Amino acid sequence: MSVSPPVAMSPSAGSRFVSRWYFVVTMVSFGFFAWVPFVHAAVRLGRKSLYARALVFGAAAAVMAMLMSLAPKDAAGKVVGATGDLLTSIAVILGVAVVAVACVQQSKLRREILRQAPGERLDGPDPALAAALAARNRRAEARKLATEDPLIARDLRIGRPDLPRNYDDGGLVDLNSAPAAVIASVCGLDVTTADEIVETRSAAGGFAAVDDVFTAVPVAAWDRIRDRAVVLPR
């Protein structure tokens, strides 16, 4: 008799299971822990504004606790007196309001989490990743310009971050004109290797293509150079 392997829970089913506890925690705690789901949602969705919401619900919980503690009680711990009844009533009304408001907001967050793909940020792409991709696109555009119109590329000082300029080439370095220190900095090379590139450039009268420089550099550095280097006619 064969035994069927256990069925793995799909990401959407897992998200439904996880997000349902938002309401349970909020209602069972009568609003005292309504802030917890917002912290969880802030982490899941990558949205810092949700931490502020969690702080607001945490403050409401602190107010409810303070009202309950200020209510006069007898030796058995039972609330007594008109003041005690008033403070307790205010705490209860505040608790009901907190539960209602929190559940409405958590319902919206739950729908967002259910739409979220694994590892996806719903507040937009990661800023560092977006900047890196944008720089890569600018490098591609600058290389195309250098190939199609090297004179304009030279006027824009593409590949010369050491010179004053207004054009952003995404972080390129011209192997045919840049000093060794600049080549080393942009391509992540040691100074000795950069010096060898400059010496090879001088001996050969310049490079016709980026790959021409590979006779002077270790194989491990080839990808970095291909990513950051450009060759303009001398």
Side-chain angles (χ1 to χ4, degrees):
M1 180 178 178
S2 60
V3 179
S4 300
V7 178
M9 180 179 292
S10 65
S12 59
S15 297
R16 289 190 182 93
F17 173 78
V18 169
S19 59
R20 278 179 184 144
W21 66 263
Y22 286 9
F23 308 123
V24 175
V25 168
T26 299
M27 290 186 286
V28 170
S29 69
F30 198 63
F32 279 98
F33 292 104
W35 57 271
V36 175
F38 290 96
V39 173
H40 178 268
V43 174
R44 283 289 301 269
L45 301 177
R47 190 179 303 162
K48 294 182 180 180
S49 62
L50 293 176
Y51 288 112
R53 256 190 246 185
L55 186 62
V56 170
F57 284 104
V63 171
M64 288 190 292
M66 182 183 66
L67 291 173
M68 304 254 330
S69 65
L70 291 176
K73 300 178 181 63
D74 58 18
K78 184 179 179 180
V79 175
V80 295
T83 301
D85 291 339
L86 176 62
L87 293 175
T88 301
S89 297
I90 295 175
V92 170
I93 293 172
L94 179 58
V96 171
V98 166
V99 170
V101 174
C103 284
V104 170
Q105 296 187 10
Q106 289 166 8
S107 178
K108 296 178 181 178
L109 293 175
R110 180 174 181 269
R111 286 195 295 271
E112 291 187 42
I113 290 176
L114 291 177
R115 292 196 304 268
Q116 182 186 26
E120 178 189 9
R121 291 171 59 97
L122 296 186
D123 61 338
D126 180 87
L129 176 60
L133 293 175
R136 178 187 289 176
N137 289 335
R138 288 194 296 272
R139 290 196 294 274
E141 293 174 0
R143 283 195 184 95
K144 182 179 179 181
L145 179 60
T147 300
E148 296 177 350
D149 199 329
L151 291 179
I152 290 183
R154 193 185 308 279
D155 289 340
L156 294 175
R157 294 176 175 171
I158 288 176
R160 293 304 304 271
D162 55 312
L163 300 178
R165 60 181 183 170
N166 294 319
Y167 181 78
D168 182 3
D169 60 17
L172 290 176
V173 61
D174 180 16
L175 298 180
N176 266 346
S177 64
V182 177
I183 294 175
S185 175
V186 174
C187 295
L189 305 174
D190 58 79
V191 178
T192 301
T193 301
D195 286 336
E196 291 179 3
I197 291 175
V198 173
E199 290 175 5
T200 304
R201 176 178 74 194
S202 299
F207 301 115
V210 171
D211 288 5
D212 293 345
V213 78
F214 293 157
T215 58
V217 298
V219 175
W222 288 9
D223 287 341
R224 294 198 302 273
I225 294 175
R226 284 195 179 102
D227 182 49
R228 294 303 185 108
V230 67
V231 169
L232 292 177
R234 299 192 74 176

